[in-house]
Amino acid sequence: MSSDDGRPRLAVVGAGPAGLAAALAAAGQGVRVMVIDSAEAPGGQFYRQPAAGLGARRPQALHHQWRTWRRLREGLDRHIAAGLVTHRPDHHVWCVEQRPEGPLSSLGSRRFTVHALRGPAQEDPVEVRADAVLLATGGYEKVLPFPGWTLPGVVTAGGAQAMLKGGLVVSGRTAVVAGTGPLLLPVATGLAAAGVTVAALVESADPKALVRRAGALAGRADKLAEGAGYAVELLRRRVRTLVRHTVVEAHGTDRLEAVTVAELDAGGRVRPGSERRIRCDTLAVGHGMLPHTDLAEALGCRVEPDGTRVWVDDEQRTDVPGAWAAGEITGIGGAALSLAEGHIAGRSAGARLQGREPVPDEWAAAAKSRGELREFLGVLDTVYVPPAHWVDQVTDDTVVCRCEEVTAGAVRVAVAELGAGDVRTVKLLTRAGMGWCQGRMCGPAVAGIAGCAEAVSRRPFARPVPLGVLARAGETAGKPGKPRENEDADDIP
Amino acid sequence: MVGAACALYAARAGLSVVVMDRGPVAGGTTGAGEGNLLVSDKEPGPELELALLSNHLWVDLAAEPGLGAAIEYEPKGGVVVASAPEGLAALERFAAEQRTAGVEAVAVAAHQLPDLEPYLTPGLAGGVHYPQDAQVMPTLAAAHLVRASGARLLTGRTVSEVLRTPDGAVRGVRTDRGDIHTPAVVNAAGTWGGELAALAGVTLPVLPRRGFVLVTEPLPPLVRHKVYAADYVADVASDSAALQTSPVVEGTAAGPVLIGASRERVGFDRSFSLPVVRALAAGATRLFPFLERVRAMRTYVGFRPYMPDHLPAIGPDPRVPGLFHACGHEGAGIGLATGTGQLIAQVLGGRTPDLDLAPFRPDRFDGAGANEFSRETP
Amino acid sequence: MNPLELADAAPGPAFAVTLDGRELAALPGQTVGAALWAAGVTSWRTTRGESRPRGIFCGIGVCFDCLVTVNDRPNQRACLVPLRPGDAIRTQEGTGHEL
């Protein structure tokens, strides 16, 4: 399994746009790369592919920027054929460990061990050793709570899209798409194209504000055109768009039956009397994205105090020597930014792993794109914000932590009567964030309702790990090439 | 937790109390604990006497309307098991000594273990059942005791100075948000108790002893008691700085199983250590094989306030009139909090404490002992 | 237009799985969640506190709302686990574990 040809080895975690761009760039420099990814096929969330068994002959109908995907896919195939890149699908990484021994700069020291669980049940351990790691773990959707949001039929906007792209299924006949952010547009048009009646697109922001910031956005006319394209598509499909509106409640007993939407005033408060009910069996809702920073945090990488990004330098290096990061985990920015960051990270890692000082001129185009997109997204972030007073709509009996069924009222009692003033204490007093998802879903909501700052969540296990696996983790470390029985201790090809 | 208990008993003794913390409620070691109220792991002596006193007080508190449920008090009992006959003999000798000190300790033969814990690994030599061992959810306990005390709670406030009169007596504290005047200051700063003592000009050798806890997915009540291996007692009493782990497994009211216990003296290093949690997982799965396929969801770290002789500092500091200490309980601070609070309230009120405080004297490390201690600090 | 037509899908032959003993058809490659959605089922577990119904929420394996028992293995994420012919899906309650 291990062929030690003296080439340095890079483990890339994540096969979305950032991870793939990084893998191609690093392999192009002659580094051996293993791309470790949880999905069955490369692409990440943005380029999520229909399951192979579904025989989709026109997957591009579900996607945008298909040509970019073709380029990535062909590049990956080429490098795999040449033996420089290995793709490990269905590998669920729960921890990246840095071994204390071994000098920092020496190649072949295999300082990092990537611990993964293989297979859909996530029970079989795999360990991959590498000289460097590149974390491109992507993001997931942020959803703020409202009464009824735990009803079946209420899904995240990204979830509706993932089920459509990957499984070619939808959860009902009539949908409302709601929340805030650029993701809502492709979700609404995608569902409509798939035959769902989209009763309304409910956006709490006023995208007209983007027009007022047109100067700052002009540098990325392509992105603006993309947005305009969606708008045309919505009109064509007769999707009613309600801007400066929000969903205040989802109705139903055991399943979603309708939502109430209401208009927001200039201050972000619900305008009394503006409520109206829309019948639907699906609500796809989202309020932006959050990065998967767990692996980086546990590895010791610096994460911004509010948890929104892993710190990187101009080369996409984290402050842990040998660890790079690219894509959503260094700040939410979408596929185009992820591609640019991944390319730069891969170039940098490729050079440095071979003892060369990288030449930034080689990635000047990517760096320019990265700069422009970050500026563009900075503006977008000021426009697409949840309603300023969303907390007012969260009644005391609304469940905030979906896993542990902690209500907003319990969070409020912890703050008002038990002395909690930060998210950690709220969690300890209420169990909000202690369940299966470890606060990934409720973190921003709990902070908002408690009226305290969001904080970096420490999750040393990026996903649940069987105790039997944990009990034997790393037993093969220091004995490369000698896998234990039932365990695949794996060197990069 | 200890501060909350001191506040409760002092307030009930008629004193006016302010509780101050630089962080939130339970922000230090309390929030990182398992909430053990144990007599089983203590040898006869002053700590066991304190544990027995505390145990009675916890029972009383849990019986107060609403309080038992609010703090998730669970009198579930402990089961200590030995894997080999030699270990069992030592455990039974230990239990016999504890019985003379008033501990309920019931020998359990190997074939009886499944009645207590049906999912324990087969082939153990036997064990001892301690019905008095119990558990609370420590953060809830601290918060609810403060609330029940009626004391004024000031969180996010850091003490920067202990104010003293010209003749050296305490007259209050200076904080980052103003002075508070009081003739009595109780140092319940846990692992950071040495820092607070230093502000009053005295040394108190409290040092951190790191521990990790593993938390599983929610389960039905498959682990009924607090179950641990007999070598845990030796680890608790050990002076070694090196990593020690011995399996301690218990279910919780909320569902997840908690797995401890590791002990290391590595300062206040919060970084995740896979080798440590690996050892915890290995120990737990040896005791309960069904845990092999149960998933760990998270792990957290805390710093036990460790003193060189493994006893807390409780009582007035003879070096500074008006300064009282209630810290250094190592891994037993939740359990020992009630007794400590009661004793502190008694000495604050000028009454004779229920226990002799001499073994807990805060100045017992002055002189040679303290020097010796500072040399062996890692 | 439905999603399969949109992507011009020509899936392999459908196969049978069961949900609490009731037979359902699934397409190759579909996850438990996708097959249940296709069959019109949107919830398959109840919570351990309030016994409330839950199904897919995040759709990408992060939220753990869609936990389900597959072939006697509890707490599998329906949105991640692909189905194979004959798989026995069971709705689950509470912790998903039995005493």
Side-chain angles (χ1 to χ4, degrees), chain A residues 65-426:
Chain A
Q65 280 109 43
W66 187 252
R67 259 181 313 184
T68 307
W69 166 246
R70 293 283 295 272
R71 265 207 314 280
L72 282 175
R73 177 75 236 201
E74 283 160 17
L76 180 67
D77 290 343
R78 213 168 40 245
H79 283 301
I80 289 175
L84 272 176
V85 173
T86 315
H87 172 231
R88 287 299 179 95
D90 214 358
H91 277 51
H92 307 263
V93 178
W94 56 271
C95 182
V96 178
E97 186 189 14
Q98 184 177 200
R99 282 189 286 150
E101 72 269 27
L104 289 187
S105 57
S106 86
L107 297 178
S109 65
R110 307 286 189 267
R111 292 177 48 233
F112 295 93
T113 304
V114 178
H115 297 269
L117 299 165
R118 190 172 37 187
Q122 304 192 16
E123 287 182 347
D124 306 323
V126 185
E127 293 176 12
V128 172
R129 280 182 265 290
D131 301 308
V133 291
L134 197 154
L135 303 173
T137 44
Y140 59 99
E141 207 163 9
K142 169 165 117 179
V143 184
L144 299 172
F146 48 86
W149 77 309
T150 53
L151 281 170
V154 179
V155 297
T156 69
Q161 193 181 42
M163 293 292 288
L164 174 58
K165 284 179 177 176
L168 303 181
V169 286
V170 292
S171 72
R173 293 201 167 87
T174 308
V176 168
V177 178
T180 189
L183 176 66
L184 301 185
L185 297 164
V187 171
T189 55
L191 289 176
V196 175
T197 301
V198 178
L201 169 59
V202 182
E203 165 62 64
S204 64
D206 186 354
K208 280 205 284 292
L210 281 177
V211 178
R212 288 197 290 276
R213 305 289 302 273
L217 301 173
R220 294 302 298 212
D222 55 330
K223 303 298 290 180
L224 288 178
E226 197 180 308
Y230 287 123
V232 169
E233 178 79 2
L234 288 170
L235 277 176
R236 194 169 70 79
R237 297 196 180 273
R238 302 206 168 88
V239 173
R240 173 171 47 153
T241 302
L242 302 169
V243 298
R244 297 246 309 272
H245 276 67
T246 190
V247 169
V248 293
E249 187 171 357
H251 309 280
T253 47
D254 287 338
R255 190 187 190 322
L256 180 70
E257 289 161 15
V259 296
T260 295
V261 301
E263 195 182 347
L264 293 162
D265 67 16
R269 283 193 172 80
V270 166
R271 209 182 277 282
S274 69
E275 295 88 354
R276 67 180 115 161
R277 207 173 158 110
I278 303 175
R279 291 195 66 80
C280 58
D281 54 25
T282 298
L283 171 63
V285 60
H287 297 100
M289 299 276 292
L290 296 166
H292 280 296
T293 56
D294 314 325
L295 292 175
E297 201 280 334
L299 185 57
C301 302
R302 183 176 139 200
V303 181
E304 294 299 316
D306 63 356
T308 56
R309 67 192 68 205
V310 174
W311 180 89
V312 286
D313 67 6
D314 281 349
E315 290 179 28
Q316 302 288 139
R317 287 181 297 178
T318 72
D319 62 338
V320 170
W324 278 257
E328 306 293 30
I329 80 162
T330 65
I332 296 300
L337 180 58
S338 295
L339 287 169
E341 292 182 352
H343 179 79
I344 294 167
R347 285 277 189 150
S348 165
R352 291 193 177 276
L353 275 172
Q354 298 179 92
R356 285 191 286 110
E357 188 71 19
V359 184
D361 282 354
E362 291 174 4
W363 63 68
K368 179 166 179 287
S369 182
R370 179 179 64 180
E372 288 169 357
L373 283 165
R374 282 186 181 161
E375 194 180 340
F376 179 86
L377 293 159
V379 175
L380 232 51
D381 281 349
T382 64
V383 173
Y384 289 112
V385 289
H389 297 278
W390 65 267
V391 167
D392 297 352
Q393 303 306 316
V394 185
T395 53
D396 277 350
D397 60 355
T398 304
V399 165
V400 175
C401 166
R402 303 173 67 94
C403 301
E404 297 297 298
E405 302 178 273
V406 180
T407 62
V411 171
R412 288 170 177 139
V413 166
V415 174
E417 295 176 32
L418 294 176
D422 63 310
V423 284
R424 176 174 179 267
T425 311
V426 171

Side-chain angles (χ1 to χ4, degrees), chain C residues 9-34:
Chain C
F15 53 78
V17 298
T18 57
L19 172 63
D20 294 333
R22 178 165 67 96
E23 204 161 278
L24 296 178
L27 293 176
Q30 275 184 333
T31 60
V32 174

Side-chain angles (χ1 to χ4, degrees), chain C residues 48-97:
Chain C
R48 78 181 202 280
E50 306 291 323
S51 297
R52 296 295 297 149
R54 297 283 176 86
I56 295 282
F57 183 62
C58 83
I60 61 169
V62 179
C63 79
F64 293 81
D65 245 11
C66 64
L67 296 177
V68 69
T69 298
V70 183
N71 299 334
D72 294 327
R73 195 172 287 196
N75 295 318
Q76 303 298 303
R77 278 164 278 181
C79 69
L80 296 184
V81 176
L83 282 170
R84 288 177 182 77
D87 278 349
I89 310 164
R90 275 197 294 122
T91 53
Q92 67 171 58
E93 294 171 5
T95 65
H97 292 272

Side-chain angles (χ1 to χ4, degrees), chain B residues 39-52:
Chain B
V39 296
S40 57
D41 64 340
K42 294 170 181 68
E43 61 183 7
E47 195 191 14
L48 180 58
E49 286 175 37
L50 179 59
L52 286 166

Side-chain angles (χ1 to χ4, degrees), chain A residues 95 97 115 123 417-418 422 424-425 428-429 431 434 436 438 458 460-461 464-468 470-474, chain B residues 24-25 27 31 137 139-140 143 147 214 217 254 256 270 272 274 278 281-282 291-299:
Chain A
C95 182
E97 186 189 14
H115 297 269
E123 287 182 347
E417 295 176 32
L418 294 176
D422 63 310
R424 176 174 179 267
T425 311
L428 288 169
L429 288 170
R431 302 193 57 75
M434 281 197 190
W436 275 107
Q438 289 292 293
R458 293 178 60 102
F461 307 137
V465 51
L467 285 163
L470 186 55
R472 288 181 284 278
Chain B
V25 170
M137 199 296 184
T139 307
L140 285 171
R147 181 154 84 161
L214 266 173
E217 63 183 283
R270 302 197 76 89
F272 172 60
L274 187 55
R278 179 174 63 213
L291 289 174
E292 281 270 336
R293 287 178 68 174
V294 166
R295 281 165 282 187
M297 293 202 304
R298 63 193 172 99
T299 174

Side-chain angles (χ1 to χ4, degrees), chain B residues 34 38 133 282 353:
Chain B
E34 295 164 286
L38 302 186
D133 283 357

